[in-house]
């Protein structure tokens, strides 16, 4: 660790008693970053997957870059869920309850919002996120579990993505409207609002109310609010081309739960005639809108004609997604990499090949040890490991690798490989749960030919070990549904190349044979993907991996270096945050 660049993650600026004061954060104007989920640390289960991890990396980068931000999310006391897998390969869900007192401090301020015609009081916990370079950022975790509230209302902030439409709408009222009111009550000076996904778009309605025209200024046919004033204070990041990812609420439900916060004509004008479409509301109340990769922005532009959707390709946080052996390496050869990951562009030339090999071997040993501890399976360090871990859902096609078991066995007879899998399915995603069962059945069918391990309860910690310890990171989504994908970026920080369908970030990140490999072509029909995957694995990837010991000893390490110097240097959240700051926040 480079001590000149990085302070220890303790709070030296804290007052006696160790608790930071809210005043530390309210004296200068901040960008308020609203997100339904956020991955703050592994012990706090307030995230479900990529969206939450991205939100966490956003705030981590803001801390490192000393870019004044305040994140607003829900406390989600009952977490997402903890995953176990039974003997039949079925997902078993257990509560992942956490105790906010252990990690955050309760704040005194309370505000109320009206839900179903009654006042629901909202308080908050202050979590202070310490960066890795001495900076820190406040995170407010909204909580309705207060004595003042009706028993049902106390549970509004309990379950992340739990419950029905009514429950979801209540959560979104708390996040968007409650969030804006609480920031004001706490004395925050907010210069800009960033909606991470449409869940928080109701915040725009609360802001509109601040800019209501006096009746005498109203002109016929005009909305009674200064919409441009709100738009210039807001930006919106859309995250998915999957239709179900865009919340819509029926107006009778909205009327019953939210009541009238702005007049019905204004609401329908901004949020859609037929139903309250949170994406449309966010689009209409944001001056700057972006998708999370170039292709995703193109698709969003066709999904939402009449709007301009920019592209800010996602990135991952340099420090937390780099394993210890690679941190040590970068600290030694490129000491400012944590602040300027662009420096990694030089990694291919200034770090010796042997050092990469040794760092990866160490990360691989760590993973193998962890797999043994969790599953009892001993993987072979000399044999290639393919890794696949992400939310288990149909469009991600975790089963593509296993679509032709005979072919897979034939490939393994020539050049052996092992597979490590992980991922949770949303409790109501029956297709995702069936996939988990199916993967377990395929793994059994491959016994004796290809070792396949499924690690239960995928979380940040497992992700850290996996993206660093495998040899190849596999990604096989159905085009064009992977808006970005970020786990392959995490792998790149650890010199692990991706073998991936050309979708999301990989369209930008793939240089064939240099940073990793493509499965199929961007324009192909998807039905050829399985064969393209097998062909590439059999004829290119595994031969190169084992050539290390024969005719092309530097071939594999060349691709490792390509992944780091060409991709980690770019697909990081510092670059992403510098772009949000320059293009979305300062306008
Ligand atoms: C990075 C990460 C994800 C997102 O991975 P994708 O490749 O974007 O699907 C999901 N869950 C966890 C725990 C992660 O760390």
């Amino acid at each position: 660790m480079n001590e000149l660049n990085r302070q220890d993650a303790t709070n030296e600026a804290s007052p006696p008693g160790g608790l930071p004061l809210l005043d530390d954060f309210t004296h200068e104007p901040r960008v308020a970053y609203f997100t339904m989920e956020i991955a703050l640390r592994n012990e706090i289960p307030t995230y479900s997957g990529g969206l939450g991890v991205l939100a966490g990396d956003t705030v981590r980068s803001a801390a490192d870059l000393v870019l004044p931000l305040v994140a607003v999310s829900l406390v989600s006391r009952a977490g997402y869920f903890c995953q176990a897998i039974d003997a039949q390969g079925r997902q078993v869900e257990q509560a992942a309850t956490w105790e906010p007192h252990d990690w955050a401090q309760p704040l005194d301020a309370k505000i109320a919002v009206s839900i179903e015609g009654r006042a629901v009081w909202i308080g908050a916990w202050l979590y202070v996120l310490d960066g890795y370079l001495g900076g820190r950022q406040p995170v407010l975790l909204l909580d309705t579990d207060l004595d003042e509230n009706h028993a049902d209302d106390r549970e509004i902030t309990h379950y992340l993505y739990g419950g029905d439409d009514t429950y979801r709408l209540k959560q979104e009222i708390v996040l968007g409207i409650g969030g804006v009111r609480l920031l004001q009550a706490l004395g925050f000076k907010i210069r800009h609002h960033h909606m991470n996904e449409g869940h928080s778009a109701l915040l725009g309605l609360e802001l509109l109310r601040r800019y209501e025209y006096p009746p005498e200024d109203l002109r016929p046919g005009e909305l009674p609010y200064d919409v441009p004033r709100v738009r210039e204070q807001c930006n919106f990041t859309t995250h998915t081309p999957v239709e179900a990812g865009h919340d819509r609420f029926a107006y009778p439900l909205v009327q019953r739960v939210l009541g009238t916060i702005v007049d019905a004509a204004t609401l329908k004008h901004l949020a859609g005639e037929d139903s309250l479409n949170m994406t449309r509301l966010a689009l209409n109340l944001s001056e700057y809108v972006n998708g999370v990769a170039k292709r995703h922005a193109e698709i969003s532009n066709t999904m939402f004609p009449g709007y301009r959707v920019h592209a800010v390709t996602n990135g991952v946080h340099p420090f937390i997604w780099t394993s210890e052996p690679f941190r040590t390496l970068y600290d030694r050869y490129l000491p400012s990499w944590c602040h300027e990951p662009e420096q990694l562009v030089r990694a291919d030339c200034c770090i010796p090949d042997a050092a990469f090999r040794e760092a990866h071997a160490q990360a691989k040993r760590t993973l193998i040890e962890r797999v043994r501890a969790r599953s009892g399976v001993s993987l072979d360090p000399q044999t290639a490991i393919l890794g696949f871990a992400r939310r288990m859902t149909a469009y991600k096609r975790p089963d593509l690798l296993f679509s032709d078991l005979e072919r897979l066995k034939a490939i393994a007879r020539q050049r052996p490989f092992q597979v490590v899998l992980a991922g949770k399915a949303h409790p109501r995603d029956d297709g995702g749960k069936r996939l988990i069962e199916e993967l377990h059945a395929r793994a059994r069918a491959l016994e004796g030919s290809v070792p396949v391990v499924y690690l239960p309860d995928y979380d940040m910690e497992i992700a850290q070990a996996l993206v660093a310890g495998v040899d190849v990171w596999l990604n096989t989504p159905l085009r064009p549904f992977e808006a970005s994908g970020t786990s392959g970026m995490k792998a790149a920080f650890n010199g692990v190349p991706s073998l991936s369908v050309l979708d999301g970030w990989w369209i930008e990140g793939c240089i064939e044979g240099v940073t990793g490999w493509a499965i199929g072509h961007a324009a192909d029909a998807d039905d050829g993907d399985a064969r393209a995957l097998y062909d590439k694995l059999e004829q290119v990837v595994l031969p190169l991996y084992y050539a290390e010991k024969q005719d092309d000893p530097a071939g594999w390490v060349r691709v490792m270096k390509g992944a780091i110097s060409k991709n980690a240097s770019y697909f990081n959240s510092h670059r992403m945050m510098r772009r949000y700051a320059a293009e979305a926040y300062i306008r």
Side-chain angles (χ1 to χ4, degrees), residues 47-50 53 321 389-391 396 458-460 463 482 485-488 490:
Y47 66 99
S48 82
V53 173
W321 297 111
R390 39 184 63 81
R391 189 157 53 87
K396 300 212 182 224
Y458 188 43
D459 61 11
M460 285 174 87
E482 192 59 272
T486 52
S487 55
K490 302 168 189 168

Side-chain angles (χ1 to χ4, degrees), residues 381-422:
Q382 300 306 320
T383 300
I385 304 181
L386 309 187
F388 182 107
R390 39 184 63 81
R391 189 157 53 87
M392 287 291 156
T393 193
Y395 86 82
K396 300 212 182 224
R397 296 193 297 183
D399 52 342
L400 192 78
L401 177 67
F402 305 100
S403 48
D404 182 348
L405 295 185
E406 291 316 310
R407 177 86 200 266
L408 206 57
K409 287 184 197 170
I411 296 171
R413 272 195 298 275
Q414 270 189 315
R415 295 188 182 85
F417 59 90
Q418 320 165 83
V419 183
V420 184
L421 305 166

Side-chain angles (χ1 to χ4, degrees), residues 421-458:
L421 305 166
K424 298 177 181 177
H426 186 282
R428 282 195 308 275
D429 181 357
D430 292 325
K433 292 191 199 179
R434 269 197 305 278
L435 279 168
I436 295 175
E437 260 186 273
E438 190 57 37
L439 291 176
H440 281 81
R442 305 279 167 110
R444 282 194 297 277
L446 286 168
E447 259 169 40
S449 305
V450 181
V452 180
V453 182
Y454 198 107
L455 294 177
D457 206 25
Y458 188 43

Side-chain angles (χ1 to χ4, degrees), residues 39 42 47-51 53-54 57 314 316 321 389-391 395-396 458-464 467 473-475 482 484-490 505:
N42 205 49
Y47 66 99
S48 82
L51 184 69
V53 173
L54 181 86
D57 284 358
N314 280 343
V316 298
W321 297 111
R390 39 184 63 81
R391 189 157 53 87
Y395 86 82
K396 300 212 182 224
Y458 188 43
D459 61 11
M460 285 174 87
E461 216 176 276
I462 294 176
Q464 284 167 321
V467 296
W473 192 251
L474 190 64
N475 182 37
E482 192 59 272
S484 166
T486 52
S487 55
M489 304 173 184
K490 302 168 189 168
W505 84 281

Side-chain angles (χ1 to χ4, degrees), residues 33 35 37-39 50-60 69 71 196:
Y33 179 81
T35 183
E37 55 170 307
I38 187 163
L51 184 69
V53 173
L54 181 86
D57 284 358
T58 295
V59 185
R60 280 181 275 276
L69 203 88
N196 185 45

Side-chain angles (χ1 to χ4, degrees), residues 211-537:
Y211 307 112
E212 188 165 5
Y213 291 130
E216 61 273 20
D217 291 356
L218 270 187
R219 267 169 281 164
E222 251 187 28
L223 295 181
Y225 303 94
D226 190 349
V227 175
R229 276 287 283 282
V230 172
R231 284 173 54 93
E232 70 194 21
Q233 293 177 32
C234 294
N235 73 293
F236 167 47
T237 303
T238 177
H239 283 270
T240 178
V242 179
E243 194 48 47
H246 299 262
D247 286 334
R248 285 162 193 267
F249 299 105
Y251 278 120
L253 173 73
V254 174
Q255 185 54 42
R256 183 173 64 76
V257 177
L258 176 62
T260 306
I261 176 161
V262 299
D263 64 280
T266 299
L267 187 60
K268 289 193 170 180
H269 182 79
L270 295 171
E273 285 297 323
D274 311 330
S275 58
L276 194 167
N277 179 329
M278 295 296 280
T279 301
R280 194 148 297 272
L281 182 60
L283 286 167
N284 282 327
L285 290 178
S286 299
E287 189 65 41
Y288 183 94
V289 176
N290 74 285
V292 290
K294 289 186 168 62
R295 173 62 55 87
H296 176 234
E298 284 167 27
I299 291 161
S300 302
N301 272 309
T302 53
M303 281 174 83
F304 315 124
Y307 300 89
R308 167 122 195 252
V309 182
H310 301 258
V312 178
T313 302
N314 280 343
V316 298
H317 188 267
F319 186 78
I320 70 154
W321 297 111
T322 301
S323 60
E324 194 58 49
F326 280 88
R327 287 177 188 167
T328 308
L329 210 58
Y330 302 153
D331 278 348
R332 172 158 172 215
Y333 290 96
L334 299 162
S336 65
W337 73 282
C338 260
H339 184 247
E340 276 186 300
E342 298 90 323
Q343 289 290 330
L344 294 174
V345 77
R346 316 171 77 82
D348 55 347
C349 297
C350 71
I351 305 179
D353 286 4
F356 287 114
R357 289 199 190 92
E358 182 38 45
H360 178 66
Q362 212 177 315
K364 191 168 177 178
R365 281 195 296 274
T366 305
L367 173 66
I368 289 174
E369 194 35 62
R370 182 175 275 258
V371 168
R372 190 171 19 238
R374 288 195 72 138
S375 69
V377 177
S378 293
L379 298 176
D380 174 13
Q382 300 306 320
T383 300
I385 304 181
L386 309 187
F388 182 107
R390 39 184 63 81
R391 189 157 53 87
M392 287 291 156
T393 193
Y395 86 82
K396 300 212 182 224
R397 296 193 297 183
D399 52 342
L400 192 78
L401 177 67
F402 305 100
S403 48
D404 182 348
L405 295 185
E406 291 316 310
R407 177 86 200 266
L408 206 57
K409 287 184 197 170
I411 296 171
R413 272 195 298 275
Q414 270 189 315
R415 295 188 182 85
F417 59 90
Q418 320 165 83
V419 183
V420 184
L421 305 166
K424 298 177 181 177
H426 186 282
R428 282 195 308 275
D429 181 357
D430 292 325
K433 292 191 199 179
R434 269 197 305 278
L435 279 168
I436 295 175
E437 260 186 273
E438 190 57 37
L439 291 176
H440 281 81
R442 305 279 167 110
R444 282 194 297 277
L446 286 168
E447 259 169 40
S449 305
V450 181
V452 180
V453 182
Y454 198 107
L455 294 177
D457 206 25
Y458 188 43
D459 61 11
M460 285 174 87
E461 216 176 276
I462 294 176
Q464 284 167 321
L466 265 179
V467 296
V470 302
D471 296 294
V472 177
W473 192 251
L474 190 64
N475 182 37
T476 52
L478 187 65
R479 290 182 293 268
F481 295 116
E482 192 59 272
S484 166
T486 52
S487 55
M489 304 173 184
K490 302 168 189 168
F493 268 92
N494 297 285
V496 172
S498 287
L499 169 58
S500 168
V501 162
L502 285 168
D503 199 13
W505 84 281
W506 192 235
I507 296 172
E508 294 160 64
C510 179
I511 306 173
E512 185 66 19
V514 176
T515 58
W517 305 271
I519 297 168
H521 301 281
D524 280 0
D526 292 299
D527 52 9
D529 284 350
R531 214 188 49 215
L533 165 58
Y534 293 136
D535 290 349
K536 194 60 70 79
L537 195 60

